[in-house]
Amino acid sequence: MQYIIDDVENQRFLLHRGALVSPSVLAEEMEKIFAKCWIYVGHASEIPNPGDFVTRKVAGRPVIFVRNEQGKIDCFFNTCRHRAAIVETKREGNARRFFCVYHGWSYGIDGKLARIPGEEAYAASFDRNEYGLKRPPLLDHYRDFWFLCLDPNGPPLRDYLARAVEYIDLVIDQSPSGVMQVISGTQEYDVAANWKLMVENSVDDYHLPTTHSTWLRFMANSGVTIERTPRESGQVLPTKGYAISLGNGHFTTDNVNFRGRPVAHWIPLYGEEAREEIAEIRRELEERLGPERAERVANTNRNLVIFPNLVINDGSSVTIRTFFPEGPERMHVTAWALGPADESESARARRLDAFLTFYGPGGFATPDDVEALELVQQGLANWRSDEWSEMSRGMGKPESDQLNSDEHHLRTFWRHWNKLMQENA
Amino acid sequence: MSQTTAVGRLTRAEAEDFLYYEAALLDEWRLKEWLELLTPDARYLIPPNDKPDGEPHNTLFIIADDAERIRQRVIRILDPNCHAEAPKSRLRRCISNVRVLGQEGDLATVAANFVCYRFRRYERVREYVGGLTYQLRLTPEGLRIRERRVVIDAHELGSLGSVSFIL
């Protein structure tokens, strides 16, 4: 099946809508993308102490993400080696054993089989050492962001991440200690849309003025002056921003802030009392990073996509968002807030409040994104009669001139997606 | 709405009347009238499903509005460009198991159960089920909402999707 028409000469890029509705495409994606790429599991700060664990589904696989007795992070398939039942049913906690309620097999937090009731019934050839919990073939992290890879021949994580690490570093640089922390509280919600639509939406700044006009109005009502968009070619946002490919299908937006940042650009929405603390945060950045880097950290926004499905948005606040397909026309989104591990109580509260001004199922923007994606999915029902989605915006310009409101980054995603779908055929 | 004096003790019947009235306003999208039921320092809170006992200063909530944010939320969701609520969801909520948990001075704590049915076009019903906890202030003008905390029982929002209306 031809998924894309990438006509560079005529500056035309089209996506076949079958890619967004077809169960067989999803089945292929599970093999060629989710079982081949590095997939985000969790953040080290979620399990700070030995025995701490969280359970979740990653690429459809129930896993236990755990810190062992030596303080090392590990990951197991949450499946009993005996007859396959889930062995840890709690969402999070601290464990000394993972215990199967079916026949009572139990495992240490190192995954080793600890006890079998009535073990003497097994033959002498039965080797309990073969029955530890299975691990994903590869597990690694970059600066506390932990990923798994279901392909034992996958590339090293650092190679896989390519230039995306520069933007992860930029996000982490807002922490004086260099350590970031996932904040308590998870937002988990479904969107009745294909998972790839969330990839697009997470970086598509073209939609902001229309989809989020009520958010812009809220900002204006809150005393935030949003400048008129200059009548420069193609620009739809008040400040200029770019879309940048980072290799291996990763990409980001990179734009000058116009909406306030907890680190560190004060807006009236934060309240007069926050002015001094934000100025202090900004001074710390300058001392630690120098004026140029401090300006990058404090006054630019980025929406980063690590292929295929990890989004780190660093704008109104910082959010980690991941999403997995639940069938071709539905996805399950999980979102967390991320902040410097050592930030003050007042800065933490401000970060969380700023998060809710835009992001999340009760935010002032995300519900409209969800609606837009669901309207796309509903419209896709006509895919057999109206086959192609148009994604040519900005095409033909040099890469260095690709605006965040162009569709260069969307094309980057789809080209890489297409390559994986074709080459592993 | 019942007449309640600032010095009286809130009865369950008065609390029920008030909660039923509020539910009608919310179901009927009479949100400007609803705003008049709030105290100037009101808060509207929906904790995340995994941390129902959390506090918004250190936990990522679904909604953690102060009075001004509530007003802005109402402006937003009544705006025809609030796409998540255009056309508006049809809402029907049932409030039950109302209990007055206590009263200190003119501030009473009231708990209730709720089921809120939400209908949107082309969709099956979405059922929001949970508990409400109110801090209600007894004023000469009647009861006013000082805090409204909505705990959704579902382990995750999941198919409930967004909370783009006043739950």
Side-chain angles (χ1 to χ4, degrees):
Chain A
M1 179 171 178
Q2 185 176 15
Y3 295 118
I4 62 175
I5 293 173
D6 190 359
D7 182 351
V8 176
E9 195 179 331
N10 296 303
Q11 298 165 11
R12 198 152 174 255
F13 190 99
L14 301 175
L15 167 71
H16 198 276
R17 290 174 172 170
L20 297 166
V21 295
S22 158
S24 63
V25 169
L26 176 62
E28 266 186 67
E29 285 173 333
M30 293 316 291
E31 274 179 48
K32 296 178 177 178
I33 293 177
F34 289 101
K36 290 279 178 193
C37 295
W38 284 91
I39 309 291
Y40 181 69
V41 179
H43 193 268
S45 64
E46 295 180 79
I47 44 174
N49 303 308
D52 284 355
F53 69 88
V54 296
T55 60
R56 57 185 51 144
K57 277 193 193 176
V58 176
R61 308 296 195 91
V63 300
I64 308 171
F65 181 54
V66 59
R67 193 178 288 267
N68 70 19
E69 274 151 16
Q70 289 72 45
K72 289 219 166 63
I73 285 179
D74 211 337
C75 185
F76 304 105
F77 292 124
N78 190 0
T79 292
C80 186
R81 296 301 313 285
H82 176 219
R83 300 264 284 280
I86 294 281
V87 294
E88 182 52 69
T89 53
K90 288 190 286 298
R91 180 189 178 91
E92 61 188 312
N94 186 279
R96 298 187 59 197
R97 287 272 190 279
F98 300 122
F99 180 76
C100 180
V101 301
Y102 195 7
H103 304 92
W105 286 34
S106 66
Y107 303 85
I109 59 170
D110 57 3
K112 286 187 184 144
L113 182 58
R115 186 173 169 269
I116 300 177
E119 192 170 355
E120 60 281 0
Y122 290 91
S125 59
F126 180 87
D127 181 1
R128 56 155 49 215
N129 294 321
E130 288 173 16
Y131 286 93
L133 292 174
K134 287 262 191 189
R135 291 182 171 84
L138 303 176
L139 179 75
D140 201 355
H141 75 113
Y142 181 75
R143 301 194 69 182
D144 289 345
F145 289 86
W146 284 80
F147 298 79
L148 63 75
C149 182
L150 295 173
D151 178 3
N153 302 312
L157 176 65
R158 184 64 186 72
D159 295 351
Y160 177 84
L161 292 175
R163 286 180 56 213
V165 297
E166 295 170 22
Y167 281 84
I168 297 175
D169 290 347
L170 202 49
V171 174
I172 295 175
D173 266 356
Q174 66 185 273
S175 170
S177 64
V179 179
M180 296 290 275
Q181 181 181 36
V182 166
I183 299 167
S184 170
T186 315
Q187 298 179 337
E188 288 182 280
Y189 53 98
D190 293 0
V191 182
N194 185 273
W195 68 276
K196 299 183 289 301
L197 294 175
M198 185 60 85
V199 175
E200 294 182 355
N201 175 257
S202 296
V203 291
D204 171 353
D205 279 341
Y206 184 23
H207 78 276
L208 196 137
T210 37
T211 307
H212 301 309
S213 64
T214 61
W215 173 76
L216 288 165
R217 187 173 163 199
F218 157 65
M219 294 297 275
N221 292 347
S222 307
V224 183
T225 315
I226 294 187
E227 313 255 327
R228 238 175 210 294
T229 300
R231 286 186 177 277
E232 229 177 294
S233 62
Q235 201 175 319
V236 299
L237 297 172
T239 59
K240 200 157 189 172
Y242 295 93
I244 300 165
S245 297
L246 301 169
N248 287 340
H250 317 309
F251 45 93
T252 189
T253 59
D254 189 333
N255 60 297
V256 175
N257 166 61
F258 62 92
R259 63 206 239 183
R261 291 177 53 83
V263 178
H265 182 89
W266 181 86
I267 49 172
L269 185 64
Y270 301 156
E272 208 51 48
E273 68 283 1
R275 250 184 209 276
E276 182 44 41
E277 186 174 11
I278 290 181
E280 180 51 45
I281 292 170
R282 174 72 198 233
R283 278 194 290 276
E284 189 281 330
L285 291 175
E286 281 172 10
E287 280 166 27
R288 176 163 50 89
L289 303 169
E292 204 178 313
R293 181 77 172 175
E295 173 68 13
R296 287 283 283 139
V297 170
N299 207 30
T300 60
N301 296 331
R302 54 217 127 256
N303 288 8
L304 170 67
V305 173
I306 312 276
F307 191 93
N309 69 331
L310 172 64
V311 174
I312 303 173
N313 282 351
D314 180 10
S316 299
S317 203
V318 184
T319 178
I320 304 173
R321 175 195 288 164
T322 185
F323 37 93
F324 292 101
E326 301 258 333
E329 306 201 74
R330 180 173 280 274
M331 75 183 102
H332 186 72
V333 182
T334 307
W336 297 268
L338 186 75
D342 38 15
E343 75 186 339
S344 72
E345 268 182 46
S346 52
R348 177 58 58 90
R350 189 180 314 120
R351 163 179 308 284
L352 288 168
D353 185 67
F355 186 110
L356 297 181
T357 61
F358 194 94
Y359 304 118
F364 279 29
T366 299
D368 293 335
D369 286 313
V370 170
E371 180 65 14
L373 301 194
E374 294 188 347
L375 291 174
V376 171
Q377 198 68 42
Q378 289 168 34
L380 285 168
N382 285 317
W383 71 281
R384 287 177 200 277
S385 309
D386 187 359
E387 290 177 286
W388 299 93
S389 280
E390 153 59 43
M391 235 173 277
S392 312
R393 197 175 163 83
M395 221 173 161
K397 291 192 290 184
E399 177 148 1
S400 57
D401 286 347
Q402 293 288 338
L403 300 180
N404 51 340
S405 54
D406 290 331
E407 290 166 340
H408 167 69
H409 40 345
L410 278 57
R411 292 189 290 274
T412 298
F413 172 79
W414 282 109
R415 281 174 182 140
H416 192 72
W417 178 89
N418 186 56
K419 181 169 162 263
L420 295 187
M421 292 291 276
Q422 306 293 355
E423 86 182 1
N424 293 319
Chain B
M1 235 190 338
S2 321
Q3 286 298 310
T4 313
T5 62
V7 291
R9 302 293 295 181
L10 180 67
T11 67
R12 193 193 70 210
E14 289 168 334
E16 279 180 338
D17 282 349
F18 181 77
L19 265 50
Y20 295 163
Y21 175 64
E22 188 206 25
L25 293 182
L26 296 177
D27 286 350
E28 293 163 23
W29 290 90
R30 291 158 62 190
L31 301 183
K32 287 176 181 163
E33 288 170 72
W34 176 69
L35 285 178
E36 290 167 17
L37 300 182
L38 307 180
T39 66
D41 58 348
R43 295 205 306 168
Y44 166 37
L45 305 172
I46 304 184
N49 300 56
D50 64 327
K51 294 285 184 296
D53 300 323
E55 287 303 325
H57 67 277
N58 60 13
T59 302
L60 178 66
F61 269 43
I62 295 168
I63 290 173
D65 289 354
D66 63 8
E68 175 55 22
R69 191 68 57 77
I70 298 171
R71 277 191 288 278
Q72 293 297 329
R73 180 177 297 279
V74 167
I75 291 171
R76 178 181 126 69
I77 61 186
L78 291 178
D79 190 318
N81 289 311
C82 174
H83 314 295
E85 289 297 339
K88 302 232 172 329
S89 301
R90 294 188 182 181
L91 303 171
R92 181 73 60 187
R93 67 194 82 199
C94 300
I95 308 290
S96 72
N97 305 55
V98 176
R99 290 180 298 154
V100 179
L101 298 183
Q103 183 174 338
E104 278 186 39
D106 61 356
L107 206 58
T109 303
V110 172
N113 295 351
F114 73 91
V115 180
C116 181
Y117 300 98
R118 180 185 181 204
F119 297 89
R120 305 181 76 224
R121 244 187 128 196
Y122 302 128
E123 269 191 20
R124 293 169 63 177
V125 59
R126 302 191 195 191
E127 296 174 56
Y128 298 73
V129 180
L132 293 159
T133 309
Y134 288 86
Q135 301 286 332
L136 295 180
R137 194 176 292 285
L138 287 70
T139 80
E141 290 75 41
L143 290 169
R144 292 291 177 267
I145 299 166
R146 163 73 178 78
E147 186 176 293
R148 188 174 185 281
R149 186 178 173 112
V150 186
V151 172
I152 301 169
D153 287 338
H155 281 275
E156 51 186 46
L157 271 178
S159 59
L160 299 175
S162 300
V163 187
S164 47
F165 55 99
I166 305 290
L167 177 61

